[in-house]
């Protein structure tokens, strides 16, 4: 099937393409989030187990975000040349290869090889992250936040189910003779294969290539095309998204390790699975609400709402760090704050950027976001060992304060 339609594009045909694109991307996000959600919870535990040192556990999350950072810009450039379908499918292939490497590393107890596999999974997740931008390629100004948030919301299903599959995966892995803590990668592999087939078969015509055609030809309505470039607002959007992601990633990465010292060894897998599941629900479950608010209230106000939720989360984590229920509440608020800032920040970045520059800035945003989170996650392990989980939460407040202080730039 062709990547773009040969027939002239009308407002009605563009709307139909957009609806089909959002549906396909949402289904792909369900599968991709099952794959990623079933493994992200295991990264820190595998790293600590294989290395024998809790202080190195943060390197798993740091490496997965580093992989996303390295791959974000190349995948965005490929999308600009060959379309979203090509870049998303390539991301699925990278993640599949990474899963094989991680399971092999666990079998031979190789910490460096584990990081290589996690790096590849992170590179694959860079493609998955770009799905939210693909939802904005043909969106109108009035629905940009809503369409983006629908794709983000679809991650709820897999993101919640994935961590809950950890006990089942462990049982299945033992039956098949797999290394400890790797059984859930079977679900990840199946989900990645499903997403790959979906994108190859159903993502036609390609939304980005179609948007580029609209920009060149002037077909359909002008509201699909951004004609005014606002680089200062775009840079603030990148900073707000990256800062919020650093806060979320650093605290979330250390939560499994912190909980492992609070609960018994027999229940740690289940407790970690439930905690990460409700955190992921916070990240994605209310994203359509934040998308609607971003369309109605404005992008900047919802970014600031997200910072308020992050402050509530970090204070809860600091004050109730020794209570299992307090940690769970903090993780829910952490997810909600991340969701508000990410949905509205991505919408602001898109509408502050002309169509021809979108893939480049979107790739740069994902790369900066992932690089910053990789540094934050690596530092989080050291901070956890130094001043504990509550101290880590208080340190993260500095980043939230910076996002709030620089918010006037988002109005330019």
């Amino acid at each position: 099937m062709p990547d773009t339609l040969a027939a002239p594009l009308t407002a009605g045909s563009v709307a139909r393409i957009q609806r089909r694109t959002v549906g396909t991307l949402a289904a792909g996000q369900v599968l991709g989030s099952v794959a990623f959600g079933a493994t992200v919870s295991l990264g820190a535990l595998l790293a600590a187990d294989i290395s024998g040192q809790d202080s190195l556990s943060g390197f798993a999350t740091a490496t997965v975000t580093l992989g996303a950072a390295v791959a974000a810009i190349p995948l965005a450039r490929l999308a600009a040349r060959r379309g979203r379908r090509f870049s998303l499918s390539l991301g699925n292939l990278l993640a599949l290869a990474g899963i094989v490497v991680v399971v092999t590393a666990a079998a031979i107890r190789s910490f460096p090889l584990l990081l290589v596999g996690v790096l590849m999974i992170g590179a694959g997740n860079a493609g998955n992250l770009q799905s939210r931008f693909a939802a904005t390629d043909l969106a109108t100004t009035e629905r940009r936040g809503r369409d983006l948030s629908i794709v983000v919301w679809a991650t709820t299903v897999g993101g919640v189910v994935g961590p809950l599959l950890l006990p089942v995966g462990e049982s299945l892995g033992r039956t098949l003779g797999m290394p400890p803590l790797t059984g859930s990668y079977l679900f990840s592999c199946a989900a990645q294969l499903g997403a790959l087939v979906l994108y190859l078969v159903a993502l036609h015509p390609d939304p980005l290539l179609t948007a580029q055609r609209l920009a060149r030809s002037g077909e359909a309505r002008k509201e699909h095309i951004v004609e005014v470039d606002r680089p200062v607002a775009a840079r603030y959007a990148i900073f707000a998204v990256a800062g919020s992601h650093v806060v979320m990633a650093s605290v979330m990465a250390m939560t499994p390790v912190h909980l492992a010292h609070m609960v018994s060894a027999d229940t740690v897998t289940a407790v970690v699975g439930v905690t990460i599941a409700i955190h992921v629900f916070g990240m994605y479950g209310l994203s359509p609400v934040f998308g609607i608010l971003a369309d109605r209230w404005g992008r900047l106000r919802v970014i600031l709402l997200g910072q308020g939720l992050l402050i509530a989360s970090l204070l809860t984590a600091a004050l109730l760090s020794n209570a299992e229920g307090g940690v769970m509440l903090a993780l829910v608020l952490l997810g909600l704050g991340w969701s508000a800032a990410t949905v509205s920040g991505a919408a602001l970045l898109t509408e502050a950027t002309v169509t021809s520059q979108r893939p480049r800035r979107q790739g740069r945003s994902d790369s900066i976001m992932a690089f910053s989170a990789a540094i934050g996650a690596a530092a989080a392990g050291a901070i956890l060992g130094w001043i504990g989980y509550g101290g880590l939460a208080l340190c993260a407040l500095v980043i939230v304060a910076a996002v709030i202080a620089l918010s006037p730039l988002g109005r330019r």
Side-chain angles (χ1 to χ4, degrees), residues 46 110 117 125 137 171 177 233 247 254 288 297 316 327 403:
L46 268 174
S110 172
N125 192 50
D137 288 332
S171 177
V247 171
M254 292 300 100
W297 289 3
T316 301
V327 173
V403 174

Side-chain angles (χ1 to χ4, degrees), residues 169-240:
E170 267 303 281
S171 177
L172 181 60
R174 283 193 298 268
T175 301
L176 298 176
M178 296 179 66
L181 298 175
T182 63
S184 294
Y185 285 101
L186 292 171
F187 300 122
S188 298
C189 187
Q192 290 287 2
L193 283 171
L196 174 64
V197 172
L198 177 68
Y199 291 139
L200 289 175
V201 172
L203 200 59
H204 295 277
D206 190 279
L208 181 56
L209 297 182
T210 303
Q212 291 172 345
R213 169 181 165 178
L214 290 174
R216 291 191 302 266
S217 65
E219 296 173 83
R221 293 176 293 181
K222 288 289 186 181
E223 62 189 20
H224 294 279
I225 307 302
V226 176
E227 305 252 349
V228 179
D229 196 39
R230 296 191 291 145
V232 174
R235 285 194 289 271
Y236 173 75
I238 292 172
F239 174 73

